[in-house]
Amino acid sequence: MMESKADMKRHLILETAKKIIHEHGITNLTLDAVAKKASISKGGLLYHYPSKEALMKGIAIAIFEDLENCMAEYAEIDQIEKGKWTRAMIQVTKDDLEHNAELNVAVMASSLLDEAVAESISNSYQTALTKLDNDGISPITASVIRLALDGLYYSQMLGVAPLNNTRQRAVLDQLMQMTHQEDL
C-alpha cells in the first residue's frame, strides 16, 4: 500500500521529533527545531501537528502502533505455537532496548498526553497482555516475563541501576528460555 504525501510528511515529522528527543532530550523538542531539522516550513508542520502536545501524542501513538505491529510479525514467524506471543514481546523489547529504547520516549510523552490518548495506549498494551495470558504457557510465567521486561525499560528510563548490555542480553535470553519450560 502506498503512503500518501501527507502520511509521508507525518512520518518524517515524527521520526525527526524522536531523533531530537534522543539526541538532545525532551526539553529541547520544539516545533521550530523539528521544522528546521526536517527541512519543512513551520506552517507545514503545524498543518499536521498544530501544537507540541499534538506532536507528542503522535509520537506516543506511532511508537506503540509500531511495537504492536512488530510483535505480531514476530509471533507470525514463530514456528512454535506455545509461547509465541511472549517470545515476540521479548524480541520486540530486545530490539527496542538495543535501538534507542523508543518506548521510553513514548512513556515520557504519554505523561504529557490527554486522558483519551493515555487510555488508547493502555488499551493497546492490555491487548498485548491478553495475548500473553492466552499464549499456552503459564499465565504466571507470562506475567513474570512481562514485569521483568517492564523493569528493564523503567530502570533504563529512570536511570535506576540500569543493566549493562551484557547482563541485559543474559536476562532477555533467560526470559526467552522460560517460554519453553513447561512448569515454573
Side-chain angles (χ1 to χ4, degrees), residues 67 70-76 78 83-95 132 135 149 176 179:
L67 291 173
C70 287
M71 190 171 155
E73 289 172 15
Y74 277 118
E76 187 176 314
D78 195 323
K84 72 179 185 176
W85 287 103
T86 306
R87 285 187 296 281
M89 182 176 269
I90 295 167
Q91 190 60 50
V92 165
T93 299
K94 179 180 182 225
D95 292 350
L132 269 59
D135 205 14
L149 296 174
M176 196 66 82
T179 69

Side-chain angles (χ1 to χ4, degrees), residues 1 23 42 47 63-64 70 81 83 85 89 96 102-103 115 117-118 156-158 161 163 168:
M1 185 169 101
E23 292 175 357
K42 187 164 180 191
Y47 175 80
I63 289 170
F64 275 87
C70 287
E81 190 67 27
W85 287 103
M89 182 176 269
D96 195 50
E102 286 189 346
L103 185 58
E115 196 173 306
V117 176
Q156 183 177 11
M157 182 178 71
L158 298 173
L163 300 179
Q168 182 175 290

Side-chain angles (χ1 to χ4, degrees), residues 9-61:
K9 183 75 67 167
R10 279 189 290 276
H11 180 77
L12 170 66
I13 292 166
L14 293 175
E15 290 304 310
T16 301
K18 288 189 294 187
K19 188 171 186 169
I20 290 170
I21 292 169
H22 284 301
E23 292 175 357
H24 306 290
I26 200 164
T27 57
N28 290 309
L29 180 69
T30 65
L31 296 178
D32 288 327
V34 173
K36 182 178 180 182
K37 190 164 185 85
S39 299
I40 61 173
S41 70
K42 187 164 180 191
L45 178 116
L46 291 171
Y47 175 80
H48 296 287
Y49 297 100
S51 67
K52 184 175 176 180
E53 181 182 56
L55 178 60
M56 296 300 288
K57 289 176 189 178
I59 292 168
I61 290 169

Side-chain angles (χ1 to χ4, degrees), residues 157-180:
M157 182 178 71
L158 298 173
V160 178
L163 300 179
N164 66 38
N165 289 341
T166 302
R167 177 69 59 90
Q168 182 175 290
R169 276 191 298 277
V171 167
L172 291 166
D173 289 345
Q174 179 67 38
L175 295 174
M176 196 66 82
Q177 288 176 17
M178 290 172 66
T179 69
H180 294 291

